[in-house]
């Protein structure tokens, strides 16, 4: 018997039209355009509504049957040839932060539409049903994707969003139905998977001249308010040896946080982002200081360990000048890991396209972290020029956008074959 080596994997001949994606990005940028050159297309605003209308038009032109689910997400469907298979999802979001840029979310959304358009134009039939999905209000706390993956509780529905409307009112405004919200929810195991292209929003890929980031996961976050109590006293008459200066202890604490976080190798980060000093006067020794501590990592255990170490190492700082540290119960967002097989698949197809890749975590939140609750997810990062995001200066180059979309197209085709 003749044994043949399996043929080396090659990317399919199908390619996206990069210029068309860029054109669509420019057209979408008109909705909510602001004088700084960026966009303020906050969820549930008029501009958001118009931008969504524009994308629904693109979906229809790409042969997708566009609809709005009860949570207000836009879902464009393309049937597969095997009705027994679960749908494969691709997409992102088109809402922005106030005075945001034209790439965050939009690149992934319009790349997903382009993938559907190419499949339509080149008469490619997938076995899996394909759904291009534009999640509503990502910037206001991954709202639409959360509605799909876990549901929204009353507290979240009553939250007032940046637009001035509550989430509940916002969902109605964009064509959803808050009363029938549960209809939009999907059960764990009900999707074949989810792929999302996104700008990196950091500078690693650009600095290291890497084309594609293969995202390992979305980092977990811990927040805790740290209070340091000392003794407020006259800044002129109290000798240096008799002070219980809570801000001095705070300064030492900030240094300690930095030491603990950087002591071990890894990509964990830790920040003291705000400080409140009381009473806060030139001539009074600070009696009480509150600090905002934040820790992030892909590994929940590591976040825990860092937090415990910071707590135990702050005790001697307090003893040094007679101050007392206390911590609020930490607020924790758990890390969401992407699927190992999806990582491998993205890495392989990118390399077959002649692109360089690097595996990295996402320090920012994304819709993919919600979808990870109901199925395997994969994320494809493209470089952000200067690592700038949530700013009118946000920029990703046309060739990088094209690369990202081609990796998405190949990932969909490769996944569908297996
Ligand atoms: Zn985003």
């Amino acid at each position: 018997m003749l044994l043949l080596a399996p043929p080396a994997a090659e990317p399919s001949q199908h390619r996206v039209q990069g210029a068309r994606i860029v054109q669509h990005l420019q057209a979408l940028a008109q909705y909510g355009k602001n004088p700084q050159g960026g966009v303020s297309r906050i969820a549930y605003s008029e501009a958001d509504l118009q931008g969504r209308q524009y994308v629904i038009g693109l979906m229809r032109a790409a042969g997708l049957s566009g609809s709005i689910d009860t949570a207000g997400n836009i879902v464009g469907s393309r049937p597969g040839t095997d009705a027994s298979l679960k749908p494969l999802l691709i997409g992102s979001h088109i809402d922005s932060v106030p005075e945001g840029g034209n790439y965050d979310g939009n690149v992934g959304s319009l790349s997903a539409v382009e993938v559907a358009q190419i499949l339509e134009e080149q008469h490619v039939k997938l076995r899996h049903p394909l759904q291009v999905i534009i999640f509503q209000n990502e910037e206001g706390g991954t709202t639409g994707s959360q509605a799909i993956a876990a549901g929204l509780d009353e507290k979240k529905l009553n939250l007032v969003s940046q637009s001035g409307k509550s989430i509940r009112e916002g969902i109605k405004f964009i064509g959803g139905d808050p009363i029938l919200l549960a209809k939009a929810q999907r059960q764990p195991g009900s999707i074949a998977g989810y792929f999302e292209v996104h700008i990196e929003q950091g500078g690693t890929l650009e600095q290291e001249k890497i084309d594609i980031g293969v995202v390992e996961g979305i980092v977990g976050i811990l927040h805790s308010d740290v209070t340091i109590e000392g003794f407020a006293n006259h800044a002129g008459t109290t000798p240096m040896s008799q002070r219980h200066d809570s801000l001095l202890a705070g300064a030492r604490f900030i240094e300690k946080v930095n030491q603990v976080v950087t002591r071990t190798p890894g990509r964990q980060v830790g920040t003291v982002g705000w400080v409140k000093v009381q009473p806060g006067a030139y001539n009074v020794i600070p009696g009480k200081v509150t600090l905002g501590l934040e820790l992030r990592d892909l590994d929940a255990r590591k976040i825990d360990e860092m937090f415990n170490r910071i707590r135990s190492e702050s005790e001697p700082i307090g003893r040094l000048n007679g101050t007392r540290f206390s911590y609020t119960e930490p607020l924790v967002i758990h890390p969401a890991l992407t699927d190992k097989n999806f990582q491998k698949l993205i890495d392989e197809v990118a390399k077959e396209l002649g692109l360089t890749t690097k595996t990295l975590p996402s320090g920012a939140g994304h819709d993919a972290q919600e979808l990870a609750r109901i199925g395997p997810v994969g994320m494809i990062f493209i470089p952000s020029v200067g690592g700038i995001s949530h700013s009118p200066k946000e920029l990703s180059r046309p060739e990088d956008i094209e690369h990202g979309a081609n990796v998405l197209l190949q990932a969909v085709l490769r996944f569908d074959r297996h």
Side-chain angles (χ1 to χ4, degrees), residues 215 217-221 267-269 295-299 303 333-337 361-365 369:
V215 180
I218 293 116
V219 299
I221 305 175
R267 285 182 281 211
Q268 65 279 0
V269 291
L295 301 169
R296 296 187 183 214
D297 195 65
L298 264 189
D299 182 351
I303 295 177
I333 299 171
H334 292 285
L337 300 181
S362 169
Q369 80 199 42

Side-chain angles (χ1 to χ4, degrees), residues 38-294:
V39 74
S40 293
R41 194 164 52 241
I42 48 178
Y44 318 137
S45 64
E46 260 326 305
D48 183 32
L49 201 59
Q50 289 164 2
R52 287 164 57 89
Q53 230 22 71
Y54 171 71
V55 173
I56 291 172
L58 291 182
M59 281 185 172
R60 298 226 163 103
L64 297 164
S65 58
S67 67
I68 295 172
D69 71 8
T70 55
N73 301 301
I74 304 169
V75 186
S77 304
R78 182 181 167 80
T81 56
D82 184 344
S84 70
L85 294 177
K86 297 166 190 166
L88 178 62
L89 275 54
I90 55 176
S92 194
H93 64 97
I94 63 159
D95 65 300
S96 82
V97 293
E99 296 185 24
N102 286 314
Y103 299 86
D104 177 0
N106 304 326
V107 167
S109 299
L110 297 180
S111 295
V113 172
E114 174 68 18
V115 165
Q117 176 94 55
I118 290 292
L119 296 177
E120 179 71 6
E121 286 169 357
Q122 303 186 0
H123 311 290
V124 183
K125 292 242 186 295
L126 297 182
R127 294 190 307 128
H128 293 82
L130 183 73
Q131 292 182 359
V132 176
I133 183 155
I134 310 299
F135 297 106
Q136 59 99 345
N137 195 10
E138 191 272 348
E139 299 293 358
T142 55
T143 312
S145 48
Q146 205 179 90
I148 283 185
L152 301 177
D153 57 19
E154 283 298 303
K155 200 172 140 215
K156 179 111 184 182
L157 285 169
N158 291 331
L159 259 182
V160 177
S161 69
Q162 289 270 5
S163 66
K165 298 180 184 73
S166 69
I167 302 263
R168 189 194 310 276
E169 290 162 347
I171 289 175
K172 240 191 232 167
F173 179 72
I174 57 173
D177 185 349
I179 295 163
L180 299 175
L181 207 55
K183 271 182 75 181
Q185 201 173 331
R186 306 197 193 190
Q187 295 311 308
S190 66
I191 64 168
Y194 173 66
F195 287 106
E196 179 172 356
V197 177
H198 206 283
I199 59 168
E200 184 197 347
Q201 302 180 283
T204 305
L205 296 176
E206 195 202 25
Q207 261 166 32
E208 300 183 17
K209 297 193 167 37
I210 307 273
D211 300 314
I212 295 291
V214 182
V215 180
E216 291 169 281
I218 293 116
V219 299
I221 305 175
L222 176 148
H223 284 173
S224 175
D225 295 3
V226 186
T227 301
I228 309 167
E229 279 173 285
F231 189 78
N233 207 342
H234 199 293
T237 59
T238 314
M240 296 307 280
S241 62
Q242 287 172 28
R243 296 177 177 217
H244 307 288
D245 184 338
S246 58
L247 185 56
L248 180 62
R252 290 171 175 150
F253 173 79
I254 294 169
E255 178 74 38
K256 184 57 74 183
V257 168
N258 193 269
Q259 280 171 14
V260 169
V261 174
T262 54
R263 193 181 291 158
T264 54
R267 285 182 281 211
Q268 65 279 0
V269 291
T271 309
V272 173
W274 58 267
V275 180
K276 194 173 148 208
V277 182
Q278 288 167 283
Y282 281 111
N283 52 5
V284 186
I285 298 162
K288 186 177 173 184
V289 160
T290 322
L291 304 142
L293 170 67
E294 184 191 86

Side-chain angles (χ1 to χ4, degrees), residues 195 338-348 376-378 415:
F195 287 106
T338 60
D339 183 78
K340 287 267 180 228
N341 290 325
F342 279 25
Q343 287 177 29
K344 201 165 147 256
L345 191 150
I346 291 166
D347 188 65
E348 277 172 10
V377 302
F415 176 85

Side-chain angles (χ1 to χ4, degrees), residues 17-48:
Q17 286 184 30
R20 182 161 58 190
I21 305 173
V22 172
Q23 224 176 62
H24 289 164
L25 275 169
Q26 284 165 353
L28 181 57
Q30 299 308 309
Y31 304 103
K33 181 183 178 153
N34 60 34
Q36 299 92 323
V39 74
S40 293
R41 194 164 52 241
I42 48 178
Y44 318 137
S45 64
E46 260 326 305
D48 183 32

